Amino acid sequence: MTEDEFDTWMDDAYASFQGTWRSTDEICAPYKDRQCDLLNGELTFYDDRIARLKADVQVIGTTGGDGDWLWAWANESIPTEVTRDAEGIHQFGIQRGVELLIKPRWTSDRVVDLGWEMTVAAAHLAKAQGALTVPYGHDDRQMFVTLRNLHPLNPS
């Protein structure tokens, strides 16, 4: 796949994911407190310490404060059960020779923007319900995740 072909594919990914992303963001936006349980593959959203939403989660990658991106499939600290979507986009990249999808770690001064691009690509390929970032560790690190099975808990 040439760079132009990948750019076109990414345009299609953004277009198809736009409506899904917008509706997921609207559902999740009121709940700023989030807890990610990687061992169970779940992300829980809280309002006043009451669990309100839950979703199945897949980790796509993480950013570091130094502009590093690390794919989840290459991160030994992330359980393999929650890296299927990342592995799917990795295999897509291998089959098509797309360097950004193959290289385990890279650095950019636009790491957050590129992290979102990689997450949208993975979400599109996996037909995920949505995508978000959640804090990861310390030093302003972020974990980019895809969501499925988003459902309400404890209705008010």
Side-chain angles (χ1 to χ4, degrees), residues 27-35 43-55 149-156:
I27 293 168
C28 299
Y31 310 109
K32 299 300 181 200
D33 294 330
R34 302 169 182 168
Q35 181 179 1
L43 181 62
T44 306
F45 300 83
Y46 295 87
D47 179 32
D48 290 330
R49 292 183 237 161
I50 298 171
R52 296 294 186 187
L53 292 173
K54 189 170 275 198
N149 192 28
L150 184 63
H151 58 279
L153 304 170
N154 302 313
S156 37

Side-chain angles (χ1 to χ4, degrees), residues 77-90:
S77 68
I78 297 176
T80 57
E81 295 81 13
V82 294
T83 64
R84 287 186 305 272
D85 288 358
E87 185 58 42
I89 197 68
H90 180 223

Side-chain angles (χ1 to χ4, degrees), residues 26-152:
E26 288 171 5
I27 293 168
C28 299
Y31 310 109
K32 299 300 181 200
D33 294 330
R34 302 169 182 168
Q35 181 179 1
C36 193
D37 177 353
L38 294 181
L39 294 178
N40 291 309
E42 296 176 335
L43 181 62
T44 306
F45 300 83
Y46 295 87
D47 179 32
D48 290 330
R49 292 183 237 161
I50 298 171
R52 296 294 186 187
L53 292 173
K54 189 170 275 198
D56 297 331
V57 67
Q58 287 284 302
V59 181
I60 304 307
T62 57
T63 59
D66 52 0
D68 277 354
W69 169 265
L70 178 60
W71 283 103
W73 52 262
N75 189 336
E76 294 178 2
S77 68
I78 297 176
T80 57
E81 295 81 13
V82 294
T83 64
R84 287 186 305 272
D85 288 358
E87 185 58 42
I89 197 68
H90 180 223
Q91 291 304 315
F92 178 88
I94 290 170
Q95 293 166 0
R96 289 160 181 82
V98 180
E99 185 68 22
L100 276 177
L101 308 178
I102 298 170
K103 191 174 175 184
R105 178 187 302 265
W106 36 265
T107 302
S108 170
D109 57 355
R110 296 184 43 245
V111 70
V112 172
D113 292 338
L114 287 173
W116 273 117
E117 288 178 26
M118 300 304 99
T119 302
V120 167
H124 173 66
L125 192 64
K127 298 182 179 9
Q129 187 177 355
L132 293 170
T133 62
V134 293
Y136 177 68
H138 53 84
D139 298 334
D140 296 324
R141 292 191 291 168
Q142 293 289 310
M143 182 167 44
F144 290 72
V145 300
T146 55
L147 306 175
R148 284 185 184 69
N149 192 28
L150 184 63
H151 58 279

